[in-house]
Amino acid sequence: MDLVEKALEFEQRKISLKTTNERIIASKEIKALILGINEIYKKTKNPNLMDLMKRLTVIKKKAEKRLLMTVRV
């Protein structure tokens, strides 16, 4: 469950996402966490894991949205 602890810590961390590099790193880290938790979820079907993945996905979408805004300018 180390992966779940990392995900919870990442969720609680204050993320500024001010620079493009921070957005890219955050997006990659969240993606890795979501994919890892998904593998655990497939085996256990724990609804708490699904809720965690949904919350992380919201953060990921926010980071990617801001990343796309900077790329288009």
Side-chain angles (χ1 to χ4, degrees), residues 2 5-6 13 17 21 23-24 26-29 36 43-45 48 50-51 59-60 64-66 71-73:
D2 186 43
E5 291 172 7
K6 283 184 183 179
R13 190 180 339 157
L17 300 176
N21 190 41
R23 292 180 195 126
I24 292 170
S27 179
K28 287 181 180 181
E29 186 176 351
K43 296 173 186 172
T44 63
K45 302 292 185 194
N48 293 330
M50 180 57 78
D51 291 337
I59 297 170
K60 182 177 180 282
E64 288 179 348
K65 181 179 177 183
R66 292 189 67 193
V71 172
R72 289 184 184 163
V73 171

Side-chain angles (χ1 to χ4, degrees), residues 11-71:
E11 186 180 28
Q12 298 300 320
R13 190 180 339 157
K14 183 71 175 174
I15 304 171
S16 64
L17 300 176
K18 290 184 180 180
T19 67
T20 303
N21 190 41
E22 288 175 350
R23 292 180 195 126
I24 292 170
I25 291 170
S27 179
K28 287 181 180 181
E29 186 176 351
I30 294 171
K31 182 178 179 180
L33 289 171
I34 291 171
L35 291 175
I37 293 170
N38 190 36
E39 290 300 317
I40 297 170
Y41 176 77
K42 287 178 186 178
K43 296 173 186 172
T44 63
K45 302 292 185 194
N46 185 346
N48 293 330
L49 293 177
M50 180 57 78
D51 291 337
L52 178 60
M53 286 190 294
K54 287 179 183 178
R55 292 191 311 263
L56 289 174
T57 301
V58 169
I59 297 170
K60 182 177 180 282
K61 284 183 179 181
K62 183 188 293 187
E64 288 179 348
K65 181 179 177 183
R66 292 189 67 193
L67 185 61
L68 286 175
M69 288 172 45
T70 58
V71 172

